[in-house]
Amino acid sequence: MQQKKVHIMTFGCQMNVSDSEKIVALLRTIDYESVPSIAEADLVIVNTCSVRAKAEERIYGILLTMKGELKRRPNLLIGVGGCVAQQEGARLLQKIPHLSFVFGTHNLHLLPQMVRQAEAGKRTSETAFIDDDSRFDLFPDYDGGSGITRAVTIMQGCDNYCSYCIVPYVRGREVSRQKADILEEIRKAAAAGVKEVTLLGQNVNSYGTRGGGGADFAGLIRDVAKIAGIKRIRFMTSHPKDMSAPLMECYADVEKLCSHIHLPVQSGSNRILELMNRGYTRSAYIAKIEQLKSIRPDILVTSDIIVGFPGETDEDFQESLSLMSEVGYADTYSFVYSPRPETKAATLPDTTSKVEKSERLKRLFALQKSLTRSLQSDYVGRCLEVLVEGVGKKEGQIYGRTSGNRTVNFSGSSALIGTLQRPRIIKNLQNSLLGELE
Ligand code: 5AD
Ligand code: SF4
């Protein structure tokens, strides 16, 4: 049979990026190869995000524009997966008549048969959840390769039900993957040349709570660190309330564990944290950061912050600003609150004007810019260890990241890709650093 071509469009978080990789592997089993443009494709798959309304609206926009492509090529198949697919299910097929199939976040493994049905003219939708760790066994084994860094899924789903968040509804209950399978995948990755792994999940530091064969996150990190060839370990995303003592201890003696943690705080106001159902107070959060800094003085902390949560007053907002300065974040990803279907916060009265919300967002950006500037300026003149990941945008340059996750560009040969280097930082470029090898 002639090989067919699929083009995958991926939106949203790292989990979707990782799912898209699995989709490629699954479709290879029915002779589809991945291509970089719609124009070459027989099948387009849109892997969607619904964490905020804007992300969702963008997907509908993209699906609409594909109508034009379908006019030119009526045989083109279009499938939708990811969080919007999970949320809307078969309703999407009704809303968008030119869609061929819809698959939810736990249904990737059904794709080969769904594509075959689509080829035969049958439209399908599959969105059932699989609530145990058998979900992880439904994909072809990772076959090695692909770069210097690699994200490895260790758990999926979330049971936290933060009041603003749609993730528990579209990704399902929290389930951890068996430790032996994770270690096997990382061994294979190391053998294929991967030097840095990011342990991936919605809430990685509660790894092992359900599924995973009784393993715990700190133990997993320690076992990953024993794998020869792996030079660096990162993880994403962790929840402040699950930042356990054993995990903190890893920062004391696991050298491969990078000096960076993304620990989303969401708000600096205790009143808002409570309404968000985050399960910690401002002072408990700060105490954990201080403990981490005492164990690993060079650790860089990044965060997510939501502005304009229902009822957020200017005082509440000031608390977010002051917390940002107190922690001294290296980066924050800030968002205007977006009401999401099914979530508790969507029922709360929201009295803050749109203008005020975007004003607050601007103030967060400005403060973060100055925090990042002062932090990065301190690096100028120092030599930092960088894992070289690839060739830079400028001729003759290579780039990589520091242990603290700051990007550094510097002149050097592509033969250095995959090695650790210690360029001296010569300039702070705000979004990155410029270095030179001595
Ligand atoms: N509105 C705005 N931001 C949100 N996030 C999650 N849900 C919402 C929402 N309804 C943000 C949180 C989370 C990040 C991935 O997205 O800050 O940490
Ligand atoms: Fe959403 Fe909260 Fe779960 Fe993160 S921890 S995915 S914000 S519900």
Side-chain angles (χ1 to χ4, degrees):
M1 190 184 289
Q2 201 200 342
Q3 190 159 48
K4 294 205 165 175
K5 297 189 169 85
V6 57
H7 175 65
I8 304 182
M9 302 171 81
T10 308
F11 298 89
C13 67
Q14 282 264 359
M15 195 56 88
N16 268 10
V17 174
S18 172
D19 281 351
S20 286
E21 261 184 35
K22 294 188 181 98
I23 292 171
V24 171
L26 280 159
L27 292 182
R28 218 178 279 136
T29 66
I30 54 163
D31 276 332
Y32 271 82
E33 74 166 324
S34 170
V35 291
S37 74
I38 296 181
E40 300 165 66
D42 304 290
L43 164 66
V44 176
I45 289 189
V46 190
N47 194 0
T48 63
C49 169
S50 65
V51 78
R52 284 170 290 277
K54 258 195 194 143
E56 195 179 333
E57 283 155 16
R58 202 166 153 214
I59 306 291
Y60 286 106
I62 282 166
L63 292 174
L64 203 68
T65 59
M66 265 180 220
K67 242 177 148 173
E69 189 70 23
L70 268 169
K71 274 209 182 111
R72 282 188 293 278
R73 296 191 296 142
N75 292 332
L76 180 69
L77 301 178
I78 302 170
V80 176
C83 296
V84 177
Q86 186 63 47
Q87 188 185 308
E88 298 298 317
R91 267 186 308 213
L92 269 183
L93 291 181
Q94 283 161 16
K95 276 193 218 166
I96 308 171
H98 58 277
L99 267 194
S100 307
F101 58 91
V102 175
F103 60 102
T105 56
H106 292 193
N107 304 99
L108 271 56
H109 63 290
L110 299 176
L111 268 176
Q113 72 196 58
M114 293 177 82
V115 171
R116 286 289 183 244
Q117 283 171 318
E119 287 168 346
K122 185 160 180 246
R123 304 172 81 212
T124 55
S125 165
E126 299 283 355
T127 52
F129 277 151
I130 301 169
D131 264 342
D132 58 42
D133 59 7
S134 66
R135 163 186 343 159
F136 297 106
D137 302 330
L138 300 168
F139 309 107
D141 279 350
Y142 160 66
D143 56 4
S146 126
I148 301 301
T149 64
R150 180 171 170 79
V152 176
T153 302
I154 66 162
M155 54 85 64
Q156 286 179 338
C158 182
D159 289 348
N160 284 323
Y161 293 95
C162 298
S163 64
Y164 51 82
C165 186
I166 198 167
V167 166
Y169 305 94
V170 291
R171 287 274 167 185
R173 301 293 312 278
E174 183 177 305
V175 179
S176 296
R177 188 177 171 201
Q178 292 291 327
K179 180 152 117 176
D181 295 343
I182 297 169
L183 294 175
E184 180 58 24
E185 180 174 332
I186 298 175
R187 269 186 220 109
K188 271 191 195 166
V194 169
K195 308 288 182 210
E196 176 183 301
V197 283
T198 300
L199 307 176
L200 191 65
Q202 260 86 28
N203 190 13
V204 288
N205 47 4
S206 70
Y207 171 75
T209 309
R210 194 159 156 259
D216 75 305
F217 189 50
L220 175 67
I221 288 177
R222 288 177 186 280
D223 285 349
V224 174
K226 287 182 200 140
I227 296 176
I230 296 299
K231 296 181 178 177
R232 285 181 167 184
I233 304 168
R234 302 183 188 274
F235 56 84
M236 178 92 156
T237 294
S238 44
H239 194 299
K241 78 175 167 48
D242 299 317
M243 194 69 216
S244 67
L247 177 55
M248 296 234 194
E249 280 157 25
C250 287
Y251 282 100
D253 55 13
V254 182
E255 273 179 34
K256 291 180 180 179
L257 184 59
C258 286
S259 295
H260 168 232
I261 187 162
H262 184 62
L263 202 61
V265 70
Q266 312 298 357
S267 169
S269 151
N270 280 333
R271 199 178 70 82
I272 298 294
L273 285 172
E274 171 107 44
L275 285 171
M276 287 178 163
N277 190 31
R278 289 291 288 176
Y280 54 85
T281 59
R282 174 193 174 104
S283 59
Y285 179 89
I286 288 174
K288 287 195 175 171
I289 300 285
E290 276 171 1
Q291 209 181 334
L292 274 170
K293 285 184 177 169
S294 72
I295 296 171
R296 231 347 140 83
D298 67 345
I299 198 164
L300 296 190
V301 188
T302 56
S303 190
D304 296 342
I305 295 184
I306 295 176
V307 299
F309 185 85
E312 182 187 70
T313 63
D314 199 48
E315 274 163 17
D316 293 318
F317 173 66
Q318 291 297 338
E319 299 249 0
S320 290
L321 285 175
S322 67
L323 180 128
M324 276 173 71
S325 300
E326 201 171 335
V327 173
Y329 288 121
D331 261 324
T332 45
Y333 304 90
S334 310
F335 312 99
V336 170
Y337 166 74
S338 165
R340 302 284 57 217
E342 292 189 77
T343 60
K344 196 163 167 215
T347 62
L348 299 174
D350 181 5
T351 49
T352 315
S353 73
K354 239 180 158 177
V355 175
E356 177 61 33
K357 285 177 190 171
S358 61
E359 206 47 49
R360 286 180 190 168
L361 193 66
K362 270 194 213 147
R363 285 164 72 191
L364 281 188
F365 284 153
L367 174 58
Q368 186 55 57
K369 203 170 166 190
S370 75
L371 291 174
T372 307
R373 186 185 305 124
S374 89
L375 181 136
Q376 294 207 147
S377 299
D378 283 350
Y379 288 145
V380 175
R382 285 171 55 190
C383 291
L384 299 181
E385 190 177 79
V386 171
L387 174 64
V388 184
E389 288 176 38
V391 290
K393 284 188 195 120
K394 283 200 184 142
E395 181 85 33
Q397 269 192 351
I398 48 178
Y399 79 95
R401 279 171 300 145
T402 67
S403 175
N405 210 28
R406 312 314 297 171
T407 301
V408 185
N409 288 285
F410 54 105
S411 295
S413 151
S414 60
L416 298 179
I417 293 170
T419 66
L420 290 167
Q421 298 295 323
R422 289 187 67 82
R424 187 175 296 282
I425 305 304
I426 52 172
K427 201 169 181 192
N428 166 22
L429 301 170
Q430 190 67 20
N431 290 327
S432 65
L433 296 161
L434 186 67
E436 66 182 11
L437 285 177
E438 301 188 322

